């Protein structure tokens, strides 16, 4: 075969078979086998570190003798494992919290909800991906119009607002009480600041991340650091 024709065919085949991989959401915990210490980065909070590593922020505070979850600084070393003497104690389940009763009303409620806390949908739309630990989805994905308002599913305090957690894009984490936190990932914009109080149904961001999340919100609820199915807390449709 003519060398020029052979070179042309080889280049054509290479161009046809080389494609960029499709974007894939990564909701895997950041804690890797053997990793036991996290060095605090600018923008980190104890809540975001706990969230990324699938542990309760109260455990991190206790393991590291922190008087307050808010008192960490860049460069500080945070132990991600319990000290040997606390290993068994850390695995003991805490007392069960009363299940929240659903409510379709988006009116704000006082922060700290407790047994009277009710939840609303964080955005209007259809569920595109359901909760499945086996599939690596620690929450639900809700398809919605790009730019649609994202609202707090329950009243609470904003404990993280940023984009420092891998796989979550622009992320907001809200603390509702000692046990429950919720997260709103892949926002186009964030409209709240860390430390701010938000009411149930209050706008906190906008739908519109990158890749598959241009018209999708990823939403999670965690109880004592562990992911739970949001559909068991949100009101039925």
């Amino acid at each position: 075969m003519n060398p020029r024709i052979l070179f042309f065919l080889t280049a054509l085949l290479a161009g046809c078979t080389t494609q960029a991989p499709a974007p894939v959401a990564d909701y895997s915990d950041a804690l890797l086998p053997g990793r036991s210490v996290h060095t605090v980065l600018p923008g980190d909070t104890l809540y975001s570190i706990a969230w990324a590593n699938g542990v309760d922020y109260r455990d991190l505070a206790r393991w590291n003798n922190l008087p307050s979850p808010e008192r960490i600084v860049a460069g500080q070393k945070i132990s991600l494992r319990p000290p040997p003497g606390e290993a068994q104690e850390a695995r003991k389940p805490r007392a069960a919290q009363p299940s929240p009763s659903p409510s379709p009303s988006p009116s704000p409620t006082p922060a700290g909800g407790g047994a009277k806390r009710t939840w609303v949908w964080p955005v209007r739309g259809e569920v595109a991906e359901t909760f499945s630990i086996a599939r690596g989805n620690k929450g639900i994905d809700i398809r919605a119009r790009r730019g649609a308002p994202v609202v707090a599913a329950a009243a609470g305090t904003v404990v993280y607002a940023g984009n420092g957690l891998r796989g979550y894009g622009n992320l907001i984490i809200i603390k509702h009480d000692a046990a429950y936190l919720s997260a709103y990932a892949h926002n186009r914009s964030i409209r709240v600041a860390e430390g701010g109080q938000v009411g149930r149904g209050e706008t906190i961001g906008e739908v519109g991340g990158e890749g598959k999340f241009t018209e999708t919100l990823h939403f999670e609820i965690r109880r004592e650091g562990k992911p739970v199915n949001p559909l068991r807390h949100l009101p039925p449709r």
Side-chain angles (χ1 to χ4, degrees):
M1 181 180 292
N2 188 304
R4 292 184 178 180
I5 296 177
L6 179 61
F7 174 81
F8 174 77
L9 291 176
T10 302
L12 181 63
L13 288 173
C16 292
T17 56
T18 304
Q19 297 180 354
V24 177
D26 178 10
Y27 298 126
S28 60
D29 292 336
L31 183 58
L32 301 175
R35 181 185 174 196
S36 59
V37 175
H38 173 83
T39 301
V40 177
L41 301 173
D44 279 351
T45 70
L46 196 68
Y47 299 93
S48 66
I49 297 170
W51 192 280
N53 292 283
V55 297
D56 193 321
Y57 71 93
R58 292 169 296 180
D59 288 336
L60 286 187
R62 188 177 71 255
W63 299 341
N64 292 276
N65 297 314
L66 299 175
S68 169
E70 286 72 32
R71 295 184 181 180
I72 62 172
V73 295
Q76 182 176 354
K77 303 293 185 181
I78 299 294
S79 175
L80 303 174
R81 308 284 191 190
E86 284 196 39
Q88 293 299 322
E89 178 183 346
R91 285 197 290 268
K92 291 181 181 178
R94 295 186 175 90
Q97 299 288 326
S99 299
S101 56
S103 169
S105 171
S107 58
T109 58
K116 295 183 179 180
R117 181 181 56 254
T118 55
W119 303 79
V120 296
W121 285 78
V123 71
R124 293 184 178 181
E126 297 181 354
V127 176
E129 294 289 340
T130 56
F131 175 86
S132 174
I133 296 298
R135 295 199 313 270
N137 195 357
K138 297 179 173 65
I140 59 175
D141 297 338
I142 307 172
R143 188 175 294 111
R145 173 181 55 84
R146 181 174 176 82
V150 175
V151 305
T157 303
V158 178
V159 293
Y160 181 80
N163 58 8
L165 271 71
R166 182 186 65 188
Y168 284 92
N170 288 327
L171 173 69
I172 302 163
I173 300 177
I174 298 176
K175 175 185 175 182
H176 303 291
D177 58 23
Y180 281 93
L181 293 91
S182 62
Y184 312 74
H186 301 289
N187 292 274
R188 182 172 71 175
S189 65
I190 294 175
R191 296 190 179 182
V192 290
E194 289 176 12
Q197 298 290 318
V198 293
R200 185 185 63 197
E202 182 177 338
T203 298
I204 58 175
E206 292 181 347
V207 173
E210 298 181 355
K212 63 177 281 189
F213 293 100
T214 56
E215 296 183 334
T216 302
L217 174 75
H218 178 74
F219 175 65
E220 294 185 17
I221 296 177
R222 296 199 184 184
R223 179 181 183 273
E224 297 184 349
K226 304 303 179 184
V228 297
N229 188 348
L231 296 179
R232 300 185 65 178
H233 295 268
L234 297 173
R237 288 179 164 176

